[in-house]
């Protein structure tokens, strides 16, 4: 994975057909997805359960782009190797998930993955100031994590702060939650380069009718141009 700050759309398969992940991933990549965002939830750190490392391993062969795994679990450390074995390219842990995020990021890189750190809406940008040398991606949550299809919470001020803090370092700023053609330009203008979108990408389409996926992705891109 080479680093560049061009705008990338990362559809979240949380909004896909859970009985058909392989075909959904292939369809959305054929329709222009840059990365595939994979939401892992444990029913403890967040009030919902999605799936774990076994599912990630099963879908990995269907991903040609980048497997961007967002862990909404606590603890994280005991599971890092399982997600490395599953083939995650990027593994993102929440700063709120435990007392030793510094160690977690070291362990993620140590296991051969890119390391991401996610911030809940209530968590200030400064929480990651001393983690930047260990970080490849900062995920700014624009909803309280746990569910797809929630309303966007405006975090543009936080994105601006992070963009300044990051400077020339090769660190992505990813936005997750409530991204659509209306909200996307706000965060892109503030400095974000990776847009996760679940409902806004998968709405109206299916594996047998994938064209809406492409139209939805293009609508987000065009709104930000
Ligand atoms: C929220 C997840 C998001 C979610 C985004 O807990 O981390 O990735 O799937 O879904 P939308 O785009 O529908 O808000
Ligand atoms: Zn996510």
């Amino acid at each position: 994975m080479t680093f560049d700050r061009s705008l990338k759309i990362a559809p979240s398969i949380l909004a896909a057909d859970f009985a058909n992940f392989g075909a959904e991933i292939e369809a959305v990549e054929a329709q222009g997805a840059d990365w595939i965002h994979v939401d892992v939830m444990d029913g403890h750190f967040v009030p919902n359960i999605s799936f774990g490392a076994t599912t990630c391993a099963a879908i990995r062969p269907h991903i040609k782009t980048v497997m961007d795994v967002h862990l909404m679990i606590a603890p994280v450390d005991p599971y890092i190797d399982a997600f490395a074995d599953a083939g995650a390219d990027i593994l993102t842990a929440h700063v709120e998930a435990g007392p030793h995020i510094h160690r977690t990021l070291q362990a993620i890189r140590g296991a051969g993955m890119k390391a991401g750190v996610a911030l809940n809406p209530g968590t200030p940008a400064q929480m990651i100031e001393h983690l930047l040398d260990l970080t490849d991606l900062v995920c700014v949550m624009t909803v309280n994590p746990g569910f797809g299809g929630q309303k966007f919470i405006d975090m543009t001020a936080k994105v601006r702060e992070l963009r300044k803090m990051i400077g020339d370092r090769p660190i992505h700023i990813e936005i997750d939650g409530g991204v659509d053609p209306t909200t996307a330009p706000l965060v892109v203008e503030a400095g974000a380069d990776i847009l996760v979108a679940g409902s806004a990408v998968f709405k109206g389409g299916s594996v047998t009718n994938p064209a809406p996926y492409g139209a939805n992705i293009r609508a987000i891109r065009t709104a930000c141009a």
Side-chain angles (χ1 to χ4, degrees):
M1 269 179 82
T2 53
F3 181 87
D4 74 80
R5 231 182 273 287
S6 63
L7 181 64
K8 292 173 188 64
I9 312 289
S12 163
I13 59 165
L14 200 61
D17 174 3
F18 269 46
N20 218 353
F21 274 151
E24 287 276 46
I25 288 164
E26 285 168 18
V28 85
E29 284 193 344
Q31 292 293 324
D34 296 294
W35 292 4
I36 298 297
H37 185 81
V38 181
D39 286 307
V40 174
M41 304 179 180
D42 67 352
H44 165 77
F45 178 69
V46 290
N48 191 16
I49 299 174
S50 58
F51 47 76
T54 312
T55 302
C56 291
I59 65 177
R60 186 64 187 96
H62 299 275
I63 300 176
K64 291 197 196 74
T65 58
V66 169
M67 188 182 202
D68 172 33
V69 178
H70 177 195
L71 296 181
M72 288 160 274
I73 69 172
V76 170
D77 295 10
Y79 303 101
I80 290 173
D81 287 343
F83 287 99
D85 292 345
D89 296 298
I90 304 168
L91 194 65
T92 296
H94 270 261
V95 75
E96 306 86 1
H100 299 296
I101 185 69
H102 189 283
R103 174 187 293 151
T104 299
L105 295 173
Q106 284 179 321
I108 292 172
R109 281 194 175 170
M113 296 170 283
K114 299 279 185 196
V117 60
L119 299 170
N120 279 335
T123 303
Q126 286 69 26
M127 287 297 285
I128 63 151
E129 206 169 337
H130 301 282
L131 301 172
L132 291 176
D133 289 343
L134 294 167
T135 300
D136 300 293
L137 174 148
V138 181
C139 175
V140 178
M141 295 305 302
T142 40
V143 296
N144 286 297
F147 304 93
Q150 302 185 81
K151 193 178 174 307
F152 178 83
I153 303 169
D154 191 349
M155 290 284 134
T156 47
K158 191 192 289 186
V159 174
R160 254 183 256 285
E161 270 181 80
L162 286 166
R163 190 67 203 83
K164 213 166 146 192
M165 201 187 283
I166 287 168
D168 289 336
R169 293 178 177 87
I171 302 176
H172 295 291
I173 299 182
E174 175 176 80
I175 306 298
D176 190 3
V179 171
D180 63 22
T182 310
T183 57
L186 306 172
V187 286
V188 167
E189 197 272 325
D193 59 310
I194 312 292
L195 302 178
V196 174
S199 27
V201 166
F202 284 96
K203 69 165 191 216
S206 68
V207 293
T208 51
N209 175 32
Y213 297 166
N216 293 338
I217 290 170
R218 281 191 299 278
I220 296 172
R221 268 194 231 285
T222 309
C224 299

